[in-house]
Amino acid sequence: LGIAHGGFLFSLADFALALAANTDERSAVSASSSINYIAPCPAGSEVIAEARAVFADQKTALFDVRIFGDSPDEPYAVFQARAVFKRAR
C-alpha cells in the first residue's frame, strides 16, 4: 500500500504521551486512549509526534497528540488519551 502501519502511528503517539505525562515527580500511566487517522502517512516519511496536556489536576490529565510530517496543520493522525498519576517516584 505504500503507507505506514496504523499500529506504528498509535505506538508513536502512546510513547509521546508517556514522555509528556511523566515530566515531574509523579508517575503516570495511560488509562484510556483513542486515535483518529486523518490522512495516509507515506511509508518511509519522517514524522513528528507532538503531545500537549489539555487538562490536568492532581490525579489525572488529558492529552492530545498530533502526528504529522511537514506541517502540523496537516496531521496524519490525532491521538487522545487520559493519564492517571500514581505515587511519587
Side-chain angles (χ1 to χ4, degrees):
L1 294 176
I3 60 174
H5 189 280
F8 163 74
L9 297 176
F10 188 96
S11 294
L12 175 63
D14 191 53
F15 186 67
L17 162 70
L19 293 174
N22 288 283
T23 58
D24 59 22
E25 71 283 349
R26 300 175 293 177
S27 293
V29 296
S30 177
S32 65
S33 59
S34 66
I35 192 165
N36 287 295
Y37 299 100
I38 309 298
C41 176
S45 296
E46 184 173 311
V47 294
I48 297 168
E50 184 176 270
R52 68 180 183 91
V54 295
F55 168 81
D57 64 18
Q58 293 301 310
K59 295 181 181 180
T60 190
L62 300 175
F63 289 85
D64 283 344
V65 181
R66 297 172 67 83
I67 300 173
F68 57 91
D70 294 332
S71 172
D73 295 327
E74 297 176 7
Y76 298 127
V78 176
F79 174 94
Q80 296 174 312
R82 182 171 67 91
V84 176
F85 297 111
K86 298 296 181 181
R87 62 180 175 261
R89 294 185 241 189

